[in-house]
């Protein structure tokens, strides 16, 4: 008689060898690679610090927004803008204090018309007093108008200095605050002048 499963001849005891439980062999273990422990090299404290190679540009800050703000504030383009703005302020201040001799212009007009000798001396003295007062008032008004631009210029230089500071991770915003407050004051003042009754 033959086994219906494997097709081999069934021995006399009536059991086919394919139906007998096979002795289990232990699973073959694959050799595992030995894990190597990382070797710790103990260094002396002075050997742990390695200076950055030359030409290595360390970021200003670990925070990307502060890093971008510091890079923009310390760039040569921002420095050029601060220098040009400062020169503009210096020229504006010089222009205020250059005396504009209004009386000399009035005198030349009267001389060309041939009327200067006919003006009484009291009237000439009064004209000198009035033009002196006008020029002093003009200087004061122009100085008041230059207060906010001067504060903006100072704020630009403070921001430039704070942006170049790599000693700490944060950002000092005193210069930006000064610029912001100055712009707000100037905007409010100009709105006030627009709505001032004429």
């Amino acid at each position: 008689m033959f086994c219906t499963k494997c097709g081999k001849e069934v021995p006399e005891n009536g059991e086919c060898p394919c139906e007998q439980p096979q002795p289990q062999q232990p699973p073959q273990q694959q050799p595992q690679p030995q894990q190597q422990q990382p070797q710790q090299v103990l260094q002396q404290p002075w050997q742990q610090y390695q200076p950055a190679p030359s030409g290595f540009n360390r970021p200003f800050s670990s925070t990307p927004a502060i890093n971008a703000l510091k890079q923009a504030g310390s760039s040569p383009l921002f420095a050029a803008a601060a220098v040009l703005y400062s020169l503009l302020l210096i020229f504006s201040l010089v222009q205020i204090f250059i005396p504009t001799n209004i009386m000399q212009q009035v005198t030349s007009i009267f001389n060309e018309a041939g009327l200067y000798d006919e003006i009484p001396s009291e009237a000439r003295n009064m004209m000198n007093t009035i033009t002196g007062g006008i020029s002093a008032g003009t200087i004061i008004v122009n100085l008041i108008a230059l207060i906010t631009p001067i504060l903006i210029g100072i704020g630009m230089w403070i921001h430039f200095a704070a942006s170049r500071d790599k000693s700490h991770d944060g950002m000092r915003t005193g210069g930006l605050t000064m610029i912001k407050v100055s712009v707000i004051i100037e905007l409010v003042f100009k709105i006030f002048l627009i709505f001032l009754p004429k």
Side-chain angles (χ1 to χ4, degrees), residues 169-186:
D169 209 30
M171 175 78 182
R172 293 187 181 101
T173 59
L176 293 176
T177 303
M178 186 179 288
I179 293 170
K180 178 180 72 173
V181 169
S182 302
V183 168
I184 291 171
I185 289 171
E186 190 167 353

Side-chain angles (χ1 to χ4, degrees), residues 121-135:
S121 61
E122 295 86 18
R124 288 184 210 163
N125 291 339
M126 189 178 356
M127 286 174 67
N128 286 336
T129 306
I130 290 171
T131 54
I134 289 173
S135 62

Side-chain angles (χ1 to χ4, degrees), residues 93-110:
L93 283 170
V94 168
Q95 184 182 8
I96 289 173
F97 290 106
I98 291 177
T100 56
N101 198 342
I102 300 171
M103 191 60 202
Q104 200 173 34
Q105 293 173 358
V106 171
T107 305
S108 66
I109 291 171
F110 276 100

Side-chain angles (χ1 to χ4, degrees), residues 8-106:
K8 292 183 180 177
E9 188 175 345
V10 178
E12 293 179 9
N13 61 1
E15 280 189 37
C16 180
C18 71
E19 293 180 2
Q20 293 177 353
Q22 299 285 332
Q24 291 188 352
Q25 296 178 350
Q28 293 182 352
Q29 294 181 353
Q30 296 178 352
Q32 295 181 355
Q34 293 181 353
Q35 294 180 351
Q36 295 180 350
Q37 294 290 333
Q39 296 179 351
Q40 294 181 347
V41 178
L42 297 177
Q43 296 178 341
Q44 297 295 334
W46 60 86
Q47 291 176 337
Q48 291 176 358
Y49 171 74
Q50 294 179 355
S54 62
F56 177 73
N57 210 355
R58 182 172 73 93
F60 289 100
S61 172
S62 60
T63 308
I66 293 176
N67 195 30
L69 192 61
K70 281 190 169 187
Q71 282 181 342
S74 65
S75 68
L77 193 61
F78 187 85
V83 167
L84 290 175
Y85 192 81
S86 300
L87 288 174
L88 177 69
L89 288 175
I90 290 170
F91 287 138
S92 298
L93 283 170
V94 168
Q95 184 182 8
I96 289 173
F97 290 106
I98 291 177
T100 56
N101 198 342
I102 300 171
M103 191 60 202
Q104 200 173 34
Q105 293 173 358
V106 171

